[in-house]
Amino acid sequence: MADRKSSSSAGVSSRLTVRRKEKAENEAKKEEKPSKEGEKVEVNGTSVPEETGEAATGNGAPANGENAEKPEPMELPPFEIITGDRMDPFFYKFQFKNVEYSSGRNKTFLCYLVDQGPGASGLLRGFIEDEHASGHAEEAFFQQVLPNYDPALKYTVTWYMSSSPCSACAAKLAEILKARKSLHLSIYSARLFEWEEPEIQAGLKALAAAGCKLRMMKPLDFTYTWNTFVENDEQTFVLWEDCQENYEYYQDKLADILQ
């Protein structure tokens, strides 16, 4: 595997970069962490109790005036689902790399093709990106891309995903496929998401039993998705080292799960 071999300098560099970033973020959080009420804080090298209600000053007066108010906590908006026609090439190369250890790859990218059969208005194509903090890309597809189902149409849906579905998404997809008999779904994944977990394995089995075709992305699939879903400026895609070996590794794991 690319990220398991010490001889792969690119994989090591990627992991080191991510680890440095995570370490820096953790250190920043520790520095910013407010002390609890009554907790001792360091002042000129001496531990003293923290003043409550007002800042400690030489004359006991509040540092910001008697009517100073505590700032309201800022509420960050939830991450939004992102959709588009072609994605950034940097994101593609990082998120779709089929390494075993996926540190820092905390998103799911889902590239889709939808053929609704004769009489439909052409082929639907694009990508969906999530942040694992709100709805997942699999669910967003049926909310934003294919919200309406016409049983008179025959849907052929193909997904190319940066990682396979989680257990919750696999269960939802299995229910959708059972309810929508004329919808056929194929999922080609770059990596297996937490494949060692029993609930993940059960979800993939249920998804396959519901009629979904599951397969890992082959080297040719990466070239195809680069040309079809990425703003590549007509640059030729160069596969990373061990891409074929990594595909075979994951494909064997998936075959073991589904047998």
Side-chain angles (χ1 to χ4, degrees):
M1 296 297 298
D3 279 14
R4 293 181 296 142
K5 295 184 177 181
S6 59
S7 60
S8 177
S9 59
V12 172
S13 175
S14 175
R15 293 200 304 277
L16 289 175
T17 300
V18 172
R19 288 175 182 171
R20 291 194 190 102
K21 182 178 179 182
E22 290 175 347
K23 181 178 179 182
E25 291 175 349
N26 291 335
E27 291 176 351
K29 289 180 181 178
K30 289 179 181 178
E31 293 174 357
E32 295 171 1
K33 183 179 179 181
S35 56
K36 296 181 181 179
E37 183 175 343
E39 193 172 85
K40 292 184 177 181
V41 297
E42 293 288 330
V43 177
N44 296 329
T46 304
S47 296
V48 297
E50 182 185 25
E51 295 290 335
T52 58
E54 62 184 23
T57 60
N59 56 10
N64 295 324
E66 294 182 358
N67 297 325
E69 296 182 0
K70 293 182 178 180
E72 292 292 330
M74 184 171 62
E75 200 168 306
L76 296 176
F79 289 110
E80 295 182 356
I81 296 291
I82 299 172
T83 62
D85 184 49
R86 289 179 178 268
M87 71 182 71
D88 183 275
F90 173 81
F91 288 145
Y92 177 83
K93 289 180 179 179
F94 180 73
Q95 297 291 346
F96 273 84
K97 194 170 185 179
N98 62 350
V99 293
E100 181 180 3
Y101 301 110
S102 55
S103 177
R105 294 171 173 85
N106 59 346
K107 299 183 180 184
T108 296
F109 281 79
L110 185 159
C111 302
Y112 63 84
L113 293 169
V114 181
D115 185 350
Q116 301 178 74
S121 55
L123 187 72
L124 300 179
R125 177 182 62 82
F127 79 92
I128 301 174
E129 168 191 347
D130 71 42
E131 288 275 2
H132 285 181
S134 56
H136 288 194
E138 298 93 327
E139 185 177 2
F141 172 84
F142 288 100
Q143 294 173 345
Q144 300 186 28
V145 179
L146 208 62
N148 301 314
Y149 172 71
D150 184 351
L153 297 178
K154 183 178 180 180
Y155 299 85
T156 301
V157 181
T158 304
W159 290 354
Y160 297 91
M161 299 184 63
S162 57
S163 63
S164 58
C166 67
S167 57
C169 286
K172 292 178 182 178
L173 291 174
E175 292 177 1
I176 290 173
L177 292 177
K178 291 176 182 178
R180 304 182 181 186
K181 299 297 184 181
S182 64
L183 191 153
H184 300 279
L185 175 64
S186 298
I187 300 179
Y188 306 139
S189 305
R191 301 185 306 277
L192 284 178
F193 174 70
E194 296 184 355
W195 59 267
E196 306 96 332
E197 301 298 329
E199 61 270 21
I200 295 292
Q201 297 182 9
L204 293 176
K205 288 180 179 179
L207 193 51
C212 179
K213 179 182 179 182
L214 296 171
R215 177 173 65 74
M216 304 311 298
M217 289 178 64
K218 300 178 180 180
L220 283 176
D221 294 320
F222 291 106
T223 301
Y224 171 75
T225 49
W226 170 267
N227 292 330
T228 308
F229 300 100
V230 179
E231 294 178 351
N232 55 46
D233 294 328
E234 298 184 354
Q235 296 180 10
T236 301
F237 183 63
V238 179
L239 293 170
W240 46 85
E241 183 183 2
D242 295 337
C243 181
Q244 175 67 30
E245 181 183 342
N246 295 348
Y247 156 70
E248 293 172 357
Y249 170 85
Y250 274 127
Q251 187 61 32
D252 287 343
K253 297 298 181 185
L254 179 61
D256 290 342
I257 293 172
L258 299 181
Q259 68 180 2

